[in-house]
Structures are given as C-alpha cells and as structure tokens.
Amino acid sequence: MPALPTDRRRRLGVEIGALLLAVVASAPLLLGRALYESDTLLYVLPHLQGLQDALLAGQLRVWDPRIFAGYHALAAGQSGSLYPINWILLGGLPLLAAHALGLAFHLWLLA
C-alpha cells in the first residue's frame, strides 16, 4: 500500500481526531449520565414532549394551549417542529433517548 501524501495524512488525522472527540463527548449523553441544566428541563423537554405527542397522534404541533395562554409552538425554535431529524427521533424513541441521540448526532455533525 503506497504511503499517503503528508497533507492527506494530516487531514485524515484531523478527521479521525474530530470523530473521536464527538464520540467521547456524546458517550455520557448516550449512557444517560448527562447533566441537564434548568433550561433543558423547564423549556426544551416540555417543547419536545409536545412535539412528540403531536407527531405520535399524526398531527403537526402548531399551537400549544398548555403554555401561558397559548403558545405558537410551530415558531418555537427549541422544539424544531419542522426539523426532519426531530420527526425521525421523536417518532420512534422515548423522549430522553431521542433528545440525547439528537445531541450526539449534532456533535457528530459538527465534527
């Protein structure tokens, strides 16, 4: 097998390092050992729960009457109502697993 040029070797090393970093960083998330901050517990997870409930009922979450006097859920950036990755994860996994896998996926995507 011929040796790789120096630039390709360096690039491959950087890519492998980034992938390993993403795996190491996401391991606690996938093992259920991640620490959640209060905004995750009080804001993000309720939005994702509402989205998951709507998706499992075959609906698109547009409005949530349970938040304040009603909340424009479709426009809420945290729930990602129109994000296909959320549809896949929340449609087939429990809420916390879907959230953790979504975070791990985005860490991998950043790598």
Side-chain angles (χ1 to χ4, degrees):
M1 180 175 189
L4 293 173
T6 305
D7 288 341
R8 282 188 69 194
R9 244 185 288 161
R10 184 177 302 137
R11 183 175 173 192
L12 183 62
V14 169
E15 290 174 358
I16 290 173
L19 181 61
L20 288 174
L21 180 62
V23 168
V24 168
S26 63
L29 294 172
L30 298 174
L31 297 174
R33 296 185 196 152
L35 296 175
Y36 291 107
E37 296 180 9
S38 61
D39 65 334
T40 301
L41 292 174
L42 299 175
Y43 186 74
V44 176
L45 290 179
H47 277 286
L48 291 177
Q49 182 66 60
L51 176 60
Q52 186 177 49
D53 292 345
L55 290 174
L56 293 176
Q59 300 173 352
L60 184 60
R61 183 174 180 245
V62 177
W63 185 260
D64 192 342
R66 299 173 294 182
I67 300 175
F68 307 123
Y71 190 77
H72 50 87
L74 187 64
Q78 292 293 348
S79 62
S81 296
L82 298 177
Y83 189 45
I85 300 299
N86 283 349
W87 291 359
I88 293 167
L89 294 175
L90 292 170
L93 295 172
L95 178 66
L96 293 178
H99 180 62
L101 194 57
L103 291 173
F105 171 74
H106 286 94
L107 282 172
W108 171 80
L109 195 61
L110 286 171

